[in-house]
Amino acid sequence: MINEEIRRAKQAKQQRLLIGVIIVLSLILVTGLVLFSLNNVRFNSTPSTEETLSDTQTAPQKVEEPKNEEDIAALRQAYLDAFSFYENTLKPQLEKIDIDSWDKTLAETIKNQEKTAVDTFGTGQYAKAKQAIDTLTQTAEKTLADSEAAFEKAMQEAQKAYDNYDYQTARLAIDNALIHKADSADAQALAKKIENIPQIVELNEAIRVAKNENNPNKELSLIEELLKIEPDREEMKQRAQVLRTQLAESRFNQAISQAYQAIEQQQVEKARQALSQAEKIYPSRPENKEVKAALAQLESQLRFNQHIVAAEKAKQADNWETAKQELSAALKERPANKDLIDRLNQAKRIVEIDQNIQGLLQNPYRLSNPAVKATADINVIQAESFAAQSPSLAKAAQQLKSTINAVNTPVNVNVISDGKTFVSVRGVGKVGETTGKTIQLKPGTYSFEGKREGYRSKLIEVQIPLNRSDYQVTVIADERI
């Protein structure tokens, strides 16, 4: 109904422009009446809620209704404008306040004043309606101002009580604040913090006990839990940092100590793990370099020992190639060790002589060559000087010596032919035409050639074996041309 009236009033506004002068005069009269009414309901200071109720409940002064149509229209429009301001501006703000919980009498007063303003307007008593809406506006504005002041006061009390960890007082104060501004983000945040007071008090006490017991791990854990609830506690942040530094220093020193202990016990992997823990805590501390140096020395010593043991084992097994490799690896760990150098040179010499002898034995017939035989004799002599250290080398040298003798001992070779074939040994000499002749040749490979006029020459390759007293070969050219 009122919205319809507002619409009609807007349409009437254009008509009132034609009679502006009359409306101005009417407004002067109405303004006088309004001011007179306001003087009766205005608050002299900032009275309490009880004073507000007393004033607003005072019976309104009698107001005469205008007779002139223009005055009636102007008064009616003034009411509508005031009511629109109340409905669109003041009332939405009032609805955000839980006035029933704050002051039931005030809530009832506002309800009655609003009803009076609407009812009088509905009956056409525009002067009374204007007076009623002005009274309602005054009450609403004062209620909003008092509510804002009450909200600020309650928030201050709640914050102070929270700072003192006074849960009951803080809870009561924040509840009062939320009565006035339930949608206040600050009030809601403070209310949430207040609910943590019991836990905060408990944590504060636990932190105090942990500190007195000199239990930094527990104290730091409790402080970190507290800072999740109260992240702005600067003194706790600083204490936490002190504890972290203290604990880190303790863990670092413990890791360094464990590393040295592991090194002393020759536990390389355990030492590495302890060093890794120390480096994670303080990567650039000089203690880390010192531990690394000690660990590297231990690892070098262990490798050296391992190679020496393996070399000795290989030596006992007469495996001088392996002994040479292990001694060479050990020398890398101790380059200036003269005894180690001498042992390595011995191993190298034994391996070298053995390789030479094995090479000569692989082609024993070359030993018939004077130069090759001379080299073989030297190797035999050299091998004999290491016979005590390497039985296998002594055995190889003896085999070579026997082979030298065998290769250089002539074998009786019985050459059989038909008496018509001329037989010769290439590179050695002529046998002649014979039906059987014995010649002497050292073991080795020879080419026997048989020639006869009118026949193709015949070439026979013969291997005179070692350790044989005689050997027979037949050479006959029997293939006609």
Side-chain angles (χ1 to χ4, degrees):
M1 173 181 169
I2 292 176
N3 291 334
E4 180 62 23
E5 292 293 344
I6 292 173
R7 186 184 66 79
R8 292 175 182 173
K10 289 181 179 178
Q11 293 176 350
K13 218 173 201 181
Q14 295 180 353
Q15 297 176 359
R16 287 200 307 276
L17 293 175
L18 300 176
I19 55 173
V21 176
I22 297 174
I23 292 175
V24 171
L25 293 174
S26 299
L27 288 175
I28 291 173
L29 175 61
V30 172
T31 302
L33 293 173
V34 170
L35 289 175
F36 178 77
S37 299
L38 289 176
N39 286 332
N40 290 327
V41 297
R42 186 181 305 276
F43 297 98
N44 295 325
S45 57
T46 308
S48 63
T49 303
E50 288 81 359
E51 293 171 335
T52 301
L53 293 176
S54 175
D55 290 340
T56 54
Q57 288 176 350
T58 301
Q61 299 292 325
K62 290 184 178 181
V63 180
E64 293 185 4
E65 296 294 331
K67 305 298 183 183
N68 186 287
E69 287 295 328
E70 287 77 7
D71 293 343
I72 293 172
L75 191 58
R76 181 171 173 276
Q77 183 60 42
Y79 168 86
L80 292 173
D81 290 342
F83 186 83
S84 176
F85 173 70
Y86 171 78
E87 279 288 314
N88 298 323
T89 302
L90 299 179
K91 190 173 182 179
Q93 296 181 48
L94 290 174
E95 289 175 344
K96 293 180 180 180
I97 304 170
D98 186 2
I99 301 177
D100 284 330
S101 298
W102 175 31
D103 190 330
K104 288 187 177 295
T105 303
L106 175 59
E108 191 64 28
T109 297
I110 294 174
K111 182 178 179 181
N112 291 335
Q113 287 181 353
E114 185 176 330
K115 184 175 186 304
T116 299
V118 173
D119 290 348
T120 52
F121 180 83
T123 59
Q125 302 177 67
Y126 299 136
K128 288 183 179 181
K130 182 60 171 65
Q131 183 185 55
I133 194 63
D134 289 341
T135 300
L136 175 60
T137 298
Q138 269 190 319
T139 302
E141 289 177 341
K142 187 172 188 308
T143 297
L144 292 173
D146 289 348
S147 175
E148 181 65 28
F151 172 77
E152 293 297 333
K153 182 180 179 182
M155 284 292 288
Q156 291 173 6
E157 292 175 351
Q159 184 63 53
K160 182 178 180 181
Y162 174 79
D163 293 339
N164 294 326
Y165 301 127
D166 183 349
Y167 176 75
Q168 296 300 334
T169 303
R171 182 71 266 175
L172 180 61
I174 198 63
D175 286 344
N176 288 336
L178 290 170
I179 285 175
H180 297 281
K181 283 189 180 181
D183 61 347
S184 169
D186 291 340
Q188 291 172 359
L190 183 54
K192 186 176 180 180
K193 290 169 65 177
I194 287 171
E195 287 304 315
N196 291 325
I197 288 178
Q199 186 179 0
I200 292 171
V201 171
E202 183 180 347
L203 284 172
N204 281 335
E205 177 59 20
I207 290 168
R208 184 190 67 80
V209 172
K211 185 175 182 180
N212 291 339
E213 292 176 348
N214 193 26
N215 189 340
N217 274 307
K218 184 176 180 181
E219 183 182 355
L220 177 60
S221 177
L222 291 168
I223 289 176
E224 288 175 341
E225 188 176 349
L226 176 61
L227 287 173
K228 291 178 183 177
I229 303 172
E230 284 192 305
D232 298 328
R233 288 280 292 275
E234 289 300 325
E235 79 284 1
M236 286 299 177
K237 287 182 181 179
Q238 294 174 8
R239 177 60 180 167
Q241 187 56 45
V242 169
L243 289 171
R244 290 189 188 99
T245 302
Q246 177 183 335
L247 289 170
E249 190 71 26
S250 176
R251 290 195 303 271
F252 177 80
N253 291 335
Q254 184 179 8
I256 292 295
S257 177
Q258 289 175 347
Y260 277 120
Q261 185 178 4
I263 289 172
E264 185 177 348
Q265 297 172 353
Q266 296 190 347
Q267 297 176 332
V268 174
E269 189 57 35
K270 188 175 180 180
R272 280 202 193 101
Q273 292 174 358
L275 175 60
S276 177
Q277 291 175 359
E279 288 177 327
K280 287 179 181 177
I281 300 170
Y282 291 125
S284 303
R285 287 279 285 267
E287 292 92 329
N288 296 333
K289 292 183 179 179
E290 294 169 2
V291 172
K292 281 183 180 179
L295 180 57
Q297 185 175 358
L298 170 62
E299 290 176 319
S300 175
Q301 183 63 49
L302 292 176
R303 288 193 298 270
F304 176 80
N305 294 343
Q306 181 181 359
H307 292 312
I308 290 298
V309 170
E312 186 62 27
K313 185 177 180 180
K315 176 183 174 182
Q316 296 299 325
D318 199 15
N319 184 350
W320 286 92
E321 178 62 35
T322 300
K324 182 186 78 169
Q325 294 174 1
E326 294 295 340
L327 289 169
S328 179
L331 190 62
K332 291 180 181 179
E333 305 297 333
R334 300 289 185 274
N337 191 315
K338 187 176 183 308
D339 177 66
L340 188 58
I341 293 173
D342 292 340
R343 292 168 65 183
L344 177 60
N345 287 336
Q346 181 188 62
K348 286 181 176 179
R349 190 66 182 137
I350 291 174
V351 170
E352 181 184 7
I353 295 171
D354 184 67
Q355 288 176 345
N356 290 339
I357 290 176
Q358 296 302 327
L360 291 168
L361 288 174
Q362 286 178 3
N363 191 3
Y365 296 106
R366 291 178 59 242
L367 294 171
S368 61
N369 183 291
V372 176
K373 178 180 178 301
T375 300
D377 290 337
I378 293 173
N379 278 277
V380 169
I381 296 171
Q382 291 174 337
E384 289 175 349
S385 65
F386 295 105
Q389 288 78 23
S390 178
S392 62
L393 180 62
K395 182 179 179 180
Q398 184 59 44
Q399 183 181 354
L400 178 60
K401 189 175 181 180
S402 299
T403 303
I404 292 172
N405 292 332
V407 168
N408 287 283
T409 300
V411 176
N412 292 321
V413 178
N414 186 22
V415 180
I416 305 299
S417 186
D418 57 1
K420 299 176 183 179
T421 301
F422 186 88
V423 180
S424 64
V425 181
R426 286 186 177 183
V428 177
K430 300 175 182 178
V431 177
E433 296 176 351
T434 181
T435 57
K437 185 177 181 179
T438 300
I439 62 175
Q440 288 189 326
L441 294 174
K442 292 180 180 181
T445 303
Y446 297 91
S447 296
F448 285 80
E449 185 177 19
K451 292 184 179 180
R452 180 181 178 185
E453 188 173 351
Y455 291 82
R456 294 183 182 280
S457 297
K458 180 170 285 189
L459 188 65
I460 300 174
E461 293 288 336
V462 175
Q463 178 76 47
I464 308 298
L466 294 172
N467 302 317
R468 287 281 296 273
S469 59
D470 55 37
Y471 187 81
Q472 180 177 301
V473 59
T474 301
V475 182
I476 298 174
D478 54 3
E479 183 181 354
R480 290 182 176 277
I481 299 174

